[in-house]
Amino acid sequence: MYDFRSLVQVFNLLRVFLLLVFSIYPISLCAQSDYAERLAVAKEYVEISLEDMDLKKIVRQMWLPIAQQVEADRGSPLNALQLEKLDTLYQDTFYDKMYDLLSQQDEIAADIFSLEEIIALRNFYFTSEGRSVMQKMPDIIAAQQPMIMEMVQTNIPTIMPLIVEIVSE
């Protein structure tokens, strides 16, 4: 028939398994609940930040370095119509995509930040100083973008052979 010791071992294994399942399940529910709470607060933070962020200005800053490079290469400025067409092209191409991309920050924030950190961010962005920061953020990005591009362009010739060597291994 059945070996009694084997049945006892199976029963003990089942008990351990069930004990683990029932002890971990509440932790899992708690983690899901905490994530849901973090996500809800992060949504508030992202919504308020997007209200004050000048996305058109951010998208404009995407094409300005290209226009400046074209002007430098040809030795003359682009005319107003050309600049307007570039802006229209970029706004039509990237504005909605940028808005959608930035709207996803709530999930990223909920993954990375604690609830307390998200609450602090949200509370900050509800203040006049926080709103002012969001309005000035495109200017900060614009000020750093040329420096970043120059840094990358300066270092690419040095690191490109190393990149090729690494990926060829």
Side-chain angles (χ1 to χ4, degrees), residues 34-52:
D34 185 50
Y35 179 81
E37 190 173 3
R38 289 192 322 266
L39 184 60
V41 176
K43 281 185 185 299
E44 293 175 19
Y45 146 68
V46 169
E47 286 172 8
I48 192 72
S49 68
L50 286 175
E51 284 178 19
D52 289 322

Side-chain angles (χ1 to χ4, degrees), residues 26-92:
I27 294 169
S28 173
L29 284 179
C30 181
Q32 290 172 1
S33 172
D34 185 50
Y35 179 81
E37 190 173 3
R38 289 192 322 266
L39 184 60
V41 176
K43 281 185 185 299
E44 293 175 19
Y45 146 68
V46 169
E47 286 172 8
I48 192 72
S49 68
L50 286 175
E51 284 178 19
D52 289 322
M53 191 179 296
D54 187 350
L55 286 180
K56 286 188 175 195
K57 193 172 189 179
I58 292 173
V59 171
R60 189 172 305 114
Q61 290 168 357
M62 293 169 65
W63 64 262
L64 277 175
I66 295 168
Q68 291 166 346
Q69 185 63 49
V70 167
E71 289 173 336
D73 289 348
R74 72 183 208 176
S76 64
L78 296 171
N79 65 43
L81 182 60
Q82 291 170 317
L83 295 173
E84 182 182 330
K85 285 181 176 182
L86 281 172
D87 190 52
T88 300
L89 172 65
Y90 268 72
Q91 296 298 336
D92 290 349

Side-chain angles (χ1 to χ4, degrees), residues 118-157:
I118 297 170
I119 289 171
L121 278 171
R122 181 205 56 198
N123 291 348
F124 174 69
Y125 287 118
F126 275 121
T127 67
S128 60
E129 294 84 2
R131 296 183 90 112
S132 178
V133 165
M134 288 312 297
Q135 291 165 354
K136 293 174 183 173
M137 196 59 66
D139 297 327
I140 292 170
I141 294 168
Q144 286 186 314
Q145 188 174 10
M147 293 178 272
I148 293 169
M149 290 178 67
E150 181 182 339
M151 177 188 64
V152 170
Q153 288 175 348
T154 301
N155 288 284
I156 281 293

Side-chain angles (χ1 to χ4, degrees), residues 9-26:
Q9 286 177 337
V10 169
F11 178 71
N12 284 338
L13 284 173
L14 185 57
R15 276 185 20 199
V16 170
F17 175 74
L18 290 174
L19 181 63
L20 283 172
V21 167
F22 288 116
S23 64
I24 292 173
Y25 184 69

